[in-house]
Amino acid sequence: MPDSSTAPCLVWFRQDLRIHDNPALQAAIERGGPIVPVFICDEKGEGQWSFGGATKWWLYHALKDLADQLADYDLRLIIRRGQTGAELKQLLQDTRADAVYWNRRYEPDVIKRDTQIKETLTADGFEVESFNASLLFEPWKIKNQSGKPFQVFTPYWKHCLKQDIVPPVSVDHRQARPLSEQPASLELDELELLPTIKWDSGFYDFWTPTSTAARQRLGKLAASGASGYVSDRDRPDMDGTSRLSPYLHFGQIGPREVFAAFDKHDSTGVKGGKKFLSEVGWREFSHHLMFHFPHTPTDALRPEFNHFPWEMDEQLLRAWQKGETGYPIVDAGMRQLWATGWMHNRVRMIVASILVKHLLIPWQEGARWFWDTLVDADLANNTQGWQWSAGCGADAAPYFRVFNPILQGQKFDPNGDYVREWVPELRLVETKVIHEPWEAGFDQLNRVVIGRDYPAPIVDHKRGRNRALQAYEKLKALRSK
């Protein structure tokens, strides 16, 4: 085996698709030997959570962006497809490398796979090192006073803020040495990540999936101290959120960079900055929960909810998925999701509430739909969000808290602009009735006929709320037996 000071090192990219603040890449550069950047498409290795359709779209463009970044330093991204362990072994042989470095992931199935790969390669005499690039804190390092994982966000985040936050890693790209003889690589298009039916056409107007775009958006947000974040973040009719979630998921920007940007502008303590950074804290908390409770992507954290009296109905589920529930704020959100691969966070809570409470459809069905349609589909965040809405997770909203989709629309989309953008059937409806058009007179509807041009509500709000509460009472009765 070649001397480690001159032997090549594989840098296995996954959800860290950036060349800045990348500890695995910097550690490989510091070894002194040539660098072999590699991405392996191994959907079976993702377990039951292989890439969804929308995330494949983002992954394609993020990989293209990463390849361009690496090319600036004469490094070629090697793309392979197959079983990860076998492909890494083959690349080690092809390049005569003696080490593999990567940045850690925290999904349960991926942890099992990575552990096996590390054990196998180490036993074969290779150096294997993993690093933290995607979280502020390793989940196993944050514990409550009893030495157990936190299950409530506020004390968790207060504890985290008392810890030192490691600054972003400085990567000395100029010292990176390319490999003189490149191994075989697939072309990016051979991964077939983009859809053959162009349902993704609206994505291109809504997103620029590059690391540069992420840093530019973060820079503007931090420079302003996220001044409008507190007042506007719940308004889907405004551009009041960061829209950094897909960039964070794919690692085109890291949370340490987020904190560093706000530190640079002395805006970590201002009202907007503090609130925005707490949302980054929710992302950390979600990964903390998934690591310590690995069953949660499929089963409720609170085990009693595994016996909840759901009433699965495929027809109602399909209406919800297509944005045809008859509740304008819900339908606007679901159509925004399909068109752009993203949905405003306030609306995510509203559409989740109506699915699991008004319709009594299991939260797992909603989580699966989001997984396939969100460009920012992150297993930890998606799981925590749905369990929060269903009242069955950590720090969750009580199940008896049922959002009123009419009042939610009136409060957070007061002029109906969001509804009009995504539900064109209702563009001419008067503002004062746009969130409950079935109650409007013919003149207020401007010739829109409910039941013909736009559906009537698939469930009456009061009836749906009462049914949800009755189901919760049944669950409590089961628990008392």
Side-chain angles (χ1 to χ4, degrees), residues 468-480:
L469 296 178
Q470 289 169 7
Y472 185 58
E473 290 300 322
K474 289 180 183 177
L475 177 64
K476 290 198 295 184
L478 287 172
R479 291 172 58 190
S480 64

Side-chain angles (χ1 to χ4, degrees), residues 52-198:
T55 52
K56 285 183 180 180
W57 179 88
W58 194 286
L59 177 61
Y60 175 90
H61 295 285
L63 286 172
K64 185 177 185 300
D65 179 50
L66 174 64
D68 291 343
Q69 294 178 62
L70 290 167
D72 288 339
Y73 299 95
D74 297 323
L75 298 173
R76 184 189 183 198
L77 178 64
I78 305 302
I79 298 174
R80 295 286 179 94
R81 177 170 49 200
Q83 197 273 332
T84 300
E87 292 298 329
L88 287 174
K89 279 190 174 183
Q90 186 63 53
L91 274 167
L92 286 164
Q93 177 180 324
D94 294 345
T95 61
R96 294 184 57 80
D98 70 346
V100 183
Y101 288 179
W102 68 70
N103 294 308
R104 286 187 282 276
R105 289 177 53 184
Y106 303 90
E107 301 90 340
D109 288 340
V110 174
I111 289 175
K112 293 177 184 177
R113 179 194 66 185
D114 291 357
T115 300
Q116 181 61 51
I117 290 173
K118 189 170 188 177
E119 290 175 351
T120 300
L121 292 180
T122 300
D124 289 342
F126 295 100
E127 179 189 353
V128 181
E129 296 288 345
S130 62
F131 305 84
N132 174 20
S134 62
L135 296 176
L136 296 171
F137 309 103
E138 297 287 18
W140 55 85
K141 291 185 177 180
I142 303 297
K143 298 178 181 179
N144 62 23
Q145 292 182 344
S146 301
K148 297 180 179 180
F150 286 90
Q151 294 191 49
V152 180
F153 173 71
T154 299
Y156 166 82
W157 191 231
K158 285 182 178 179
H159 178 80
C160 287
L161 291 177
K162 295 177 183 178
Q163 315 304 311
D164 292 331
I165 295 177
V166 176
V169 172
S170 178
V171 180
D172 191 359
H173 308 105
R174 291 171 297 180
Q175 297 300 316
R177 292 176 52 194
L179 194 66
S180 56
E181 296 184 13
Q182 295 290 337
S185 173
L186 296 175
E187 294 297 324
L188 179 57
D189 286 338
E190 292 183 78
L191 297 183
E192 299 180 321
L193 296 172
L194 296 178
T196 54
I197 299 174
K198 297 302 180 183

Side-chain angles (χ1 to χ4, degrees), residues 261-281:
F262 277 80
D263 278 337
K264 176 182 176 182
H265 295 282
D266 295 322
S267 53
T268 56
V270 300
K271 189 175 182 181
K274 187 176 181 180
K275 181 60 182 175
F276 174 73
L277 294 176
S278 75
E279 295 302 315
V280 178

Side-chain angles (χ1 to χ4, degrees), residues 430-451:
E430 291 186 10
T431 297
K432 62 183 178 182
V433 295
I434 197 167
H435 291 293
E436 47 181 344
W438 60 90
E439 296 289 350
F442 186 73
D443 291 340
Q444 293 173 305
L445 290 172
N446 282 312
R447 299 184 180 180
V448 172
V449 176
I450 301 301

Side-chain angles (χ1 to χ4, degrees), residues 309-365:
W310 302 107
E311 297 182 16
M312 181 61 194
D313 186 308
E314 293 287 349
Q315 186 174 353
L316 293 178
L317 175 62
R318 185 61 180 158
W320 176 83
Q321 292 171 337
K322 293 172 67 177
E324 296 178 353
T325 68
Y327 287 102
I329 191 72
V330 173
D331 295 340
M334 298 306 294
R335 297 183 194 187
Q336 180 188 35
L337 172 62
W338 185 258
T340 69
W342 184 85
M343 188 193 303
H344 188 278
N345 186 60
R346 166 57 58 172
V347 185
R348 294 189 196 199
M349 292 188 283
I350 299 169
V351 305
S353 180
I354 199 168
L355 184 74
V356 300
K357 295 180 180 177
H358 289 75
L359 304 180
L360 289 181
I361 291 176
W363 64 269
Q364 293 94 334
E365 294 294 334

